[in-house]
Amino acid sequence: MIRNVLGSLVALAGATSAVLSPFRDWYAGRAGQDYRVEDLFGGITAAESGVLVSMLLPFLATALLVIVGVVLRSRLVVAFAGLVVLGFTVLWMVRQGQAAGSLVVAGDGSGLQVGVVNALAGGLLMVIGALLMSGRGRRGRRSRREREPVEPYAAPAADQVDTWPPTQEPGMSVQTSPWPEPEVDPYTGPDPRDPRTPPSPRAPHPEDDPRDPVHPPHRPPPPPQG
């Protein structure tokens, strides 16, 4: 957090320096806003330039990029803006050297002046600010990882033994062998196939009952008395 704040302040200071540089003198008393952007690609001329088509235009664009990069905490955007400022300034120096025959630094104002220094310093401050920023990639990945639900251990396949660790049984596992314990059949009484087992009494079948369940037996009639 502190690195982002410090880097943002440095980058914004660089953007301010770059935007103010076209209003300063660049070479031999000529301000940066008097140089047209197209002169950087076709050669510097003595023609006057409007403010919106001068060196101020790319520097304003880079300042907006720095603001976007600071809001999004994007190091790449801020660094790209600084490289653009440095690139346009160096390209201007090359074209000015070609037009004047050489670049000189003189105390009487006949050479490079403070406007070029402001532009170079602004681009360097943007790059330094981008390096100081920590960005948001690590924090974004960490927060995304914290938001993801923790998946429990998957249930083992049917052909795999559930052992510790991990175990799918509740509580602490007490299984110490990787092999499954033999299962014991529940008690069902003595084995009827064992010859030592006495035969169990068989319930009487209804057909074996001499009594007729429908027609109960009647007593025989008494013998006639004579």
Side-chain angles (χ1 to χ4, degrees), residues 187-213:
Y187 178 76
T188 57
D191 189 0
R193 294 173 296 182
D194 190 354
R196 295 174 298 178
T197 302
S200 58
R202 186 171 59 88
H205 197 273
E207 296 179 358
D208 298 338
D209 191 357
R211 295 175 300 177
D212 189 354

Short mmCIF file of all heavy atoms in Angstrom, two decimals, residues 187-213:
data_model
loop_
_atom_site.label_atom_id
_atom_site.label_comp_id
_atom_site.label_asym_id
_atom_site.label_seq_id
_atom_site.Cartn_x
_atom_site.Cartn_y
_atom_site.Cartn_z
N TYR A 187 -24.10 -63.11 13.66
CA TYR A 187 -24.41 -64.44 14.20
C TYR A 187 -25.81 -64.85 13.75
O TYR A 187 -26.77 -64.12 13.88
CB TYR A 187 -24.35 -64.39 15.74
CG TYR A 187 -24.70 -65.72 16.39
CD1 TYR A 187 -23.79 -66.75 16.40
CD2 TYR A 187 -25.96 -65.90 16.97
CE1 TYR A 187 -24.11 -67.96 16.98
CE2 TYR A 187 -26.28 -67.11 17.56
CZ TYR A 187 -25.36 -68.14 17.56
OH TYR A 187 -25.67 -69.33 18.13
N THR A 188 -25.86 -66.06 13.20
CA THR A 188 -27.14 -66.60 12.71
C THR A 188 -27.47 -67.93 13.35
O THR A 188 -28.32 -68.67 12.85
CB THR A 188 -27.09 -66.76 11.20
OG1 THR A 188 -25.98 -67.61 10.84
CG2 THR A 188 -26.91 -65.41 10.51
N GLY A 189 -26.78 -68.26 14.45
CA GLY A 189 -27.05 -69.54 15.10
C GLY A 189 -26.08 -70.62 14.67
O GLY A 189 -25.14 -70.37 13.89
N PRO A 190 -26.22 -71.83 15.21
CA PRO A 190 -25.29 -72.92 14.85
C PRO A 190 -25.42 -73.30 13.38
O PRO A 190 -26.47 -73.14 12.76
CB PRO A 190 -25.72 -74.08 15.77
CG PRO A 190 -27.14 -73.77 16.12
CD PRO A 190 -27.24 -72.28 16.17
N ASP A 191 -24.34 -73.81 12.88
CA ASP A 191 -24.30 -74.21 11.48
C ASP A 191 -25.08 -75.51 11.32
O ASP A 191 -24.73 -76.54 11.91
CB ASP A 191 -22.86 -74.38 11.04
CG ASP A 191 -22.74 -74.59 9.54
OD1 ASP A 191 -23.79 -74.60 8.87
OD2 ASP A 191 -21.60 -74.75 9.05
N PRO A 192 -26.12 -75.50 10.51
CA PRO A 192 -26.89 -76.76 10.36
C PRO A 192 -26.12 -77.83 9.61
O PRO A 192 -26.45 -79.01 9.70
CB PRO A 192 -28.14 -76.31 9.59
CG PRO A 192 -27.71 -75.06 8.88
CD PRO A 192 -26.70 -74.40 9.77
N ARG A 193 -25.05 -77.44 8.92
CA ARG A 193 -24.28 -78.45 8.19
C ARG A 193 -23.27 -79.16 9.07
O ARG A 193 -22.64 -80.12 8.65
CB ARG A 193 -23.57 -77.77 7.02
CG ARG A 193 -24.51 -77.24 5.96
CD ARG A 193 -23.80 -76.43 4.92
NE ARG A 193 -23.22 -75.21 5.53
CZ ARG A 193 -22.55 -74.29 4.84
NH1 ARG A 193 -22.36 -74.47 3.54
NH2 ARG A 193 -22.07 -73.22 5.45
N ASP A 194 -23.10 -78.66 10.31
CA ASP A 194 -22.16 -79.31 11.21
C ASP A 194 -22.82 -80.55 11.78
O ASP A 194 -23.91 -80.50 12.34
CB ASP A 194 -21.80 -78.33 12.33
CG ASP A 194 -20.64 -78.85 13.17
OD1 ASP A 194 -20.21 -79.99 12.96
OD2 ASP A 194 -20.16 -78.07 14.04
N PRO A 195 -22.16 -81.76 11.63
CA PRO A 195 -22.79 -83.00 12.14
C PRO A 195 -22.95 -83.00 13.65
O PRO A 195 -23.77 -83.74 14.19
CB PRO A 195 -21.86 -84.10 11.65
CG PRO A 195 -20.55 -83.41 11.42
CD PRO A 195 -20.88 -82.04 10.98
N ARG A 196 -22.19 -82.20 14.35
CA ARG A 196 -22.29 -82.20 15.81
C ARG A 196 -23.47 -81.35 16.28
O ARG A 196 -23.78 -81.35 17.46
CB ARG A 196 -21.00 -81.62 16.41
CG ARG A 196 -19.78 -82.52 16.14
CD ARG A 196 -18.51 -81.84 16.62
NE ARG A 196 -18.28 -80.58 15.90
CZ ARG A 196 -17.26 -79.77 16.15
NH1 ARG A 196 -16.39 -80.07 17.10
NH2 ARG A 196 -17.12 -78.65 15.45
N THR A 197 -24.10 -80.66 15.36
CA THR A 197 -25.22 -79.81 15.75
C THR A 197 -26.49 -80.66 15.83
O THR A 197 -26.85 -81.34 14.86
CB THR A 197 -25.41 -78.70 14.74
OG1 THR A 197 -24.19 -77.94 14.64
CG2 THR A 197 -26.54 -77.77 15.15
N PRO A 198 -27.15 -80.74 17.01
CA PRO A 198 -28.39 -81.52 17.10
C PRO A 198 -29.47 -80.91 16.24
O PRO A 198 -29.51 -79.70 16.04
CB PRO A 198 -28.74 -81.44 18.59
CG PRO A 198 -28.11 -80.17 19.05
CD PRO A 198 -26.83 -80.04 18.27
N PRO A 199 -30.33 -81.79 15.70
CA PRO A 199 -31.40 -81.24 14.85
C PRO A 199 -32.37 -80.40 15.69
O PRO A 199 -32.69 -80.74 16.83
CB PRO A 199 -32.08 -82.48 14.28
CG PRO A 199 -31.77 -83.55 15.27
CD PRO A 199 -30.40 -83.26 15.83
N SER A 200 -32.77 -79.37 15.12
CA SER A 200 -33.72 -78.50 15.81
C SER A 200 -35.12 -79.06 15.67
O SER A 200 -35.45 -79.70 14.67
CB SER A 200 -33.65 -77.09 15.21
OG SER A 200 -33.94 -77.14 13.83
N PRO A 201 -35.95 -78.91 16.68
CA PRO A 201 -37.33 -79.44 16.59
C PRO A 201 -38.09 -78.74 15.46
O PRO A 201 -37.97 -77.54 15.26
CB PRO A 201 -37.92 -79.12 17.97
CG PRO A 201 -37.10 -77.98 18.47
CD PRO A 201 -35.71 -78.21 17.95
N ARG A 202 -38.84 -79.59 14.76
CA ARG A 202 -39.58 -79.09 13.62
C ARG A 202 -41.02 -78.86 14.03
O ARG A 202 -41.62 -79.64 14.74
CB ARG A 202 -39.52 -80.08 12.47
CG ARG A 202 -40.14 -79.56 11.16
CD ARG A 202 -39.83 -80.52 10.03
NE ARG A 202 -40.33 -81.85 10.30
CZ ARG A 202 -41.59 -82.25 9.98
NH1 ARG A 202 -42.39 -81.43 9.39
NH2 ARG A 202 -41.97 -83.47 10.27
N ALA A 203 -41.51 -77.75 13.61
CA ALA A 203 -42.90 -77.42 13.94
C ALA A 203 -43.83 -78.38 13.24
O ALA A 203 -43.57 -78.81 12.11
CB ALA A 203 -43.19 -75.98 13.51
N PRO A 204 -44.89 -78.80 13.90
CA PRO A 204 -45.82 -79.77 13.27
C PRO A 204 -46.50 -79.16 12.06
O PRO A 204 -46.85 -77.98 12.05
CB PRO A 204 -46.82 -80.06 14.38
CG PRO A 204 -46.77 -78.85 15.26
CD PRO A 204 -45.34 -78.39 15.24
N HIS A 205 -46.61 -79.99 11.07
CA HIS A 205 -47.27 -79.55 9.85
C HIS A 205 -48.77 -79.67 10.02
O HIS A 205 -49.26 -80.59 10.70
CB HIS A 205 -46.79 -80.40 8.67
CG HIS A 205 -47.10 -79.77 7.35
ND1 HIS A 205 -48.30 -79.97 6.71
CD2 HIS A 205 -46.37 -78.94 6.56
CE1 HIS A 205 -48.30 -79.29 5.57
NE2 HIS A 205 -47.12 -78.65 5.46
N PRO A 206 -49.54 -78.83 9.43
CA PRO A 206 -51.01 -78.96 9.57
C PRO A 206 -51.55 -80.30 9.10
O PRO A 206 -52.55 -80.79 9.64
CB PRO A 206 -51.54 -77.80 8.72
CG PRO A 206 -50.43 -76.81 8.71
CD PRO A 206 -49.16 -77.62 8.73
N GLU A 207 -50.87 -80.93 8.12
CA GLU A 207 -51.39 -82.22 7.63
C GLU A 207 -51.16 -83.33 8.65
O GLU A 207 -51.83 -84.35 8.63
CB GLU A 207 -50.71 -82.56 6.31
CG GLU A 207 -51.06 -81.57 5.20
CD GLU A 207 -50.35 -81.93 3.91
OE1 GLU A 207 -49.59 -82.91 3.93
OE2 GLU A 207 -50.57 -81.24 2.89
N ASP A 208 -50.13 -83.14 9.52
CA ASP A 208 -49.86 -84.18 10.52
C ASP A 208 -50.81 -84.10 11.71
O ASP A 208 -50.81 -84.99 12.56
CB ASP A 208 -48.42 -84.04 11.03
CG ASP A 208 -47.42 -84.24 9.88
OD1 ASP A 208 -47.80 -84.87 8.88
OD2 ASP A 208 -46.26 -83.76 10.02
N ASP A 209 -51.59 -83.08 11.81
CA ASP A 209 -52.50 -82.94 12.94
C ASP A 209 -53.71 -83.86 12.72
O ASP A 209 -54.40 -83.74 11.68
CB ASP A 209 -52.94 -81.48 13.05
CG ASP A 209 -53.68 -81.21 14.36
OD1 ASP A 209 -53.89 -82.15 15.12
OD2 ASP A 209 -54.02 -80.02 14.57
N PRO A 210 -53.93 -84.80 13.60
CA PRO A 210 -55.08 -85.72 13.38
C PRO A 210 -56.43 -85.03 13.48
O PRO A 210 -57.42 -85.52 13.00
CB PRO A 210 -54.90 -86.76 14.50
CG PRO A 210 -54.17 -86.03 15.56
CD PRO A 210 -53.25 -85.07 14.86
N ARG A 211 -56.38 -83.87 14.10
CA ARG A 211 -57.65 -83.19 14.22
C ARG A 211 -57.97 -82.47 12.94
O ARG A 211 -57.10 -81.88 12.31
CB ARG A 211 -57.61 -82.22 15.39
CG ARG A 211 -57.44 -82.91 16.75
CD ARG A 211 -57.28 -81.89 17.86
NE ARG A 211 -56.09 -81.05 17.62
CZ ARG A 211 -55.77 -80.05 18.42
NH1 ARG A 211 -56.54 -79.73 19.45
NH2 ARG A 211 -54.69 -79.33 18.15
N ASP A 212 -59.21 -82.57 12.61
CA ASP A 212 -59.68 -81.87 11.42
C ASP A 212 -59.99 -80.44 11.82
O ASP A 212 -60.86 -80.21 12.64
CB ASP A 212 -60.93 -82.54 10.88
CG ASP A 212 -61.31 -81.96 9.51
OD1 ASP A 212 -60.64 -80.97 9.11
OD2 ASP A 212 -62.26 -82.46 8.89
N PRO A 213 -59.24 -79.48 11.25
CA PRO A 213 -59.51 -78.09 11.68
C PRO A 213 -60.88 -77.62 11.26
O PRO A 213 -61.40 -76.68 11.85
CB PRO A 213 -58.38 -77.31 11.00
CG PRO A 213 -57.98 -78.13 9.84
CD PRO A 213 -58.17 -79.56 10.26
#
